[in-house]
């Protein structure tokens, strides 16, 4: 996947006027003609950005009840697909024909839809939608693979975009205050340049070290964090950008999100190279959904299904069978899941997954 496109996605998180350019670039790699990002949050109006034929309709959709009465929108909010999917496969022929949004889009020559939903650790829901022209057929496996390859980057960018309300970040202090999350900005060497009060208050988790650096109190999380800092210094992609931090005596488990500051975002944050933001999750015995696991830990759909099955306490053989994969493939997936979650044993992984549950976001149009 193009590093330039990934940088553009991260930049748009802080400069939302760039989302149309980002969506056009994603259109190009997925053979789409239109694309949109929508943010849903409790007690807030739906927010969105779009490109292509939908631009003239976006304002109407956001201020009217058209989205609320769309079967497709309600279905995708309820299902929250953990990867990009063919939207029509979740609808009946009658629902497709009568959906008010689809009626308007067909008049503009738009046919097949693909969509993914990304639940934010902070409670919002981001939905990305891409469409093809009528007559161009459905999306294929290669299109879904290209879009799923970008999904983890979309997830981290959406977290910040949602917290900023799809408004442009106005300088370091204002942006870090508006995010409402513990956050700090770092140089590429890991030196802390600024942190907001929420971050500074978590002194048992985030520890100052020599030369103005930062360490994580949890040893496993710190190992992944220092690897990410080293990768940023070497200008290579780190293996993990969403780092789980185990619960402490007085602190809940956290997910530490590691975002590079590129282009305009680099200037907004006074030349900083990295934004670190933390979101808390709550302990629960409820089995986490594959969609949630993908959003938190960058798991692929197949890895997330296996991890969700393992979190129910099933042995690997049974979890692999329920995921329709061989035990050998399951072991391969498990090694990758260990690497992405910072765990090393299945019991440790299950304990982490059992601690991972987010509050359910009320869906509009239900």
């Amino acid at each position: 996947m193009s590093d330039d496109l990934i940088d553009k996605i991260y930049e748009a998180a802080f400069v939302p006027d760039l989302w149309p350019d980002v969506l056009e670039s994603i259109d190009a790699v997925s053979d789409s003609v239109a694309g949109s990002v929508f943010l849903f949050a409790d007690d807030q109006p739906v927010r969105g950005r779009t490109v292509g034929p939908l631009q003239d309709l976006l304002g109407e959709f956001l201020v009217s009840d058209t989205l609320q009465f769309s079967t497709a929108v309600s279905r995708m909010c309820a299902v929250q697909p953990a990867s990009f999917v063919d939207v029509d496969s979740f609808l009946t022929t009658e629902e497709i024909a009568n959906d008010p949004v689809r009626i308007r889009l067909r008049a503009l020559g738009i046919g097949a839809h693909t969509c993914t939903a990304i639940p934010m650790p902070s409670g919002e829901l981001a939905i990305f939608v891409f469409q093809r022209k009528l007559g161009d057929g459905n999306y294929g496996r290669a299109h879904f693979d290209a879009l799923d390859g970008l999904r983890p980057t979309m997830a981290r960018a959406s977290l910040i975009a949602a917290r900023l309300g799809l408004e442009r970040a106005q300088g370091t202090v204002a942006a870090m205050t508006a995010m409402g999350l513990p956050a700090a900005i770092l140089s590429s060497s890991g030196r802390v340049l600024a942190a907001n009060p929420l971050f500074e208050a978590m002194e048992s988790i985030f520890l100052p070290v020599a030369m103005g650096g930062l360490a994580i109190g949890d040893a496993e999380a710190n190992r992944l964090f220092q690897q990410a800092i080293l990768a940023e210094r070497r200008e290579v992609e780190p293996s993990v950008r969403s780092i789980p931090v185990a619960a402490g005596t007085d602190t809940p488990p956290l997910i530490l999100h590691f975002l590079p500051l590129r282009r305009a975002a680099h200037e907004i944050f006074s030349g900083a190279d990295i934004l670190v933001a933390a979101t808390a999750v709550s302990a629960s015995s409820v089995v986490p959904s594959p969609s949630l696991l993908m959003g938190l830990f960058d798991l692929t759909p197949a890895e997330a299904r296996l991890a969700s099955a393992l979190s129910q306490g099933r042995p690997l053989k049974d979890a692999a069978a329920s995921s329709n994969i061989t035990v050998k493939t399951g072991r391969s997936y498990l090694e990758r899941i260990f690497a992405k979650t910072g765990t090393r044993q299945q019991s440790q992984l299950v304990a982490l997954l059992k601690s991972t549950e987010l509050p359910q976001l009320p869906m509009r149009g239900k």
Side-chain angles (χ1 to χ4, degrees):
M1 197 58 62
S2 166
D3 289 342
D4 182 64
L5 177 51
I6 289 173
D7 285 351
K8 283 182 179 180
I9 295 172
Y10 282 129
E11 183 184 19
F14 303 98
V15 189
D17 286 345
L18 298 178
W19 274 115
D21 182 50
V22 168
L23 294 170
E24 284 184 347
S25 296
I26 299 175
D27 282 346
V29 302
S30 61
D31 294 328
S32 301
V33 69
S36 308
V37 54
F38 294 100
L39 297 174
F40 296 82
D42 193 22
D43 298 326
Q44 292 187 27
V46 180
R47 293 157 289 168
R49 297 277 176 162
T50 190
V51 70
L54 276 70
Q55 286 182 299
D56 292 338
L57 291 178
L58 179 65
E60 174 190 331
F61 285 169
L62 295 182
V63 300
S64 71
D65 57 7
T66 305
L67 291 178
Q68 179 180 350
F69 288 101
S70 167
T71 303
V73 172
S74 296
R75 190 71 45 78
M76 291 300 97
C77 286
V79 173
Q80 297 188 14
S83 59
F84 277 91
V85 297
D86 173 20
V87 175
D88 288 359
S89 66
F90 292 84
L91 303 169
T92 67
T93 301
E94 184 178 1
E95 287 172 336
I96 295 170
N98 296 328
D99 188 289
V101 171
R102 298 300 289 273
I103 291 172
R104 299 296 301 276
L105 296 182
R106 280 195 297 273
L108 295 175
I110 291 177
H113 284 50
T114 184
C115 160
T116 191
I118 303 172
M120 300 290 104
S122 49
E124 299 90 349
L125 181 73
I127 291 185
F128 285 85
V129 187
F130 296 93
Q131 295 103 346
R132 307 192 77 189
K133 288 183 180 178
L134 278 172
D136 281 356
N138 294 326
Y139 287 93
R141 185 70 265 159
H143 300 122
F144 294 133
D145 288 345
L147 290 167
D148 285 338
L150 291 168
R151 191 179 186 277
T153 304
M154 294 177 187
R156 275 181 290 271
S158 298
L159 172 66
I160 301 303
R163 302 306 289 177
L164 295 179
L166 273 179
E167 298 294 331
R168 181 186 175 96
Q170 300 294 331
T172 301
V173 175
M176 293 174 71
T177 300
M179 274 189 284
L181 299 171
I185 55 171
L186 286 64
S187 69
S188 61
S189 65
R191 184 167 62 90
V192 178
L193 302 179
N196 64 16
L198 292 172
F199 192 93
E200 292 175 339
M202 304 180 80
E203 55 187 15
S204 65
I205 297 173
F206 304 112
L207 311 176
V209 295
M211 307 299 292
L214 183 69
I216 313 301
D218 177 77
E220 286 299 313
N222 189 57
R223 177 178 64 85
L224 294 172
F225 180 71
Q226 299 306 330
Q227 286 178 358
I229 293 290
L230 182 59
E232 182 68 22
R233 189 179 310 155
R234 293 176 175 173
E235 298 183 352
V236 298
E237 182 71 11
S239 59
V240 179
R241 283 195 182 275
S242 293
I243 300 171
V245 181
T249 304
D250 300 312
T251 57
L254 301 172
I255 306 299
L256 195 61
H257 306 276
F258 189 99
L259 284 79
L261 298 172
R262 302 288 191 252
R263 307 169 189 262
H266 182 75
E267 301 305 320
I268 288 171
F269 287 93
S270 306
D273 299 299
I274 303 162
L275 172 75
V276 175
T279 54
V281 293
S282 59
S284 172
S285 61
V286 176
V287 174
S289 71
S291 181
L292 174 58
L293 296 178
M294 285 185 67
L296 291 178
F297 302 120
D298 295 350
L299 303 184
T300 67
E303 291 165 356
R305 285 192 294 272
L306 180 66
S308 183
L310 290 171
S311 70
Q312 300 174 47
R314 300 184 189 180
L316 179 60
K317 180 180 177 181
D318 292 349
S322 70
S323 300
N324 297 315
I325 58 175
T326 66
V327 174
K328 181 178 179 181
T329 300
R331 289 195 184 98
S332 177
Y333 286 174
L334 184 57
E335 288 301 316
R336 296 207 296 264
I337 294 168
F338 284 158
K340 292 179 179 181
T341 59
T343 55
R344 296 180 178 179
Q345 297 178 353
Q346 190 169 326
S347 59
Q348 187 182 11
L349 172 67
V350 170
L352 171 68
L353 298 181
K354 284 288 190 179
S355 74
T356 304
E357 182 198 16
L358 302 184
Q360 291 297 308
L361 179 66
M363 293 298 129
R364 300 177 184 274
K366 295 262 309 160

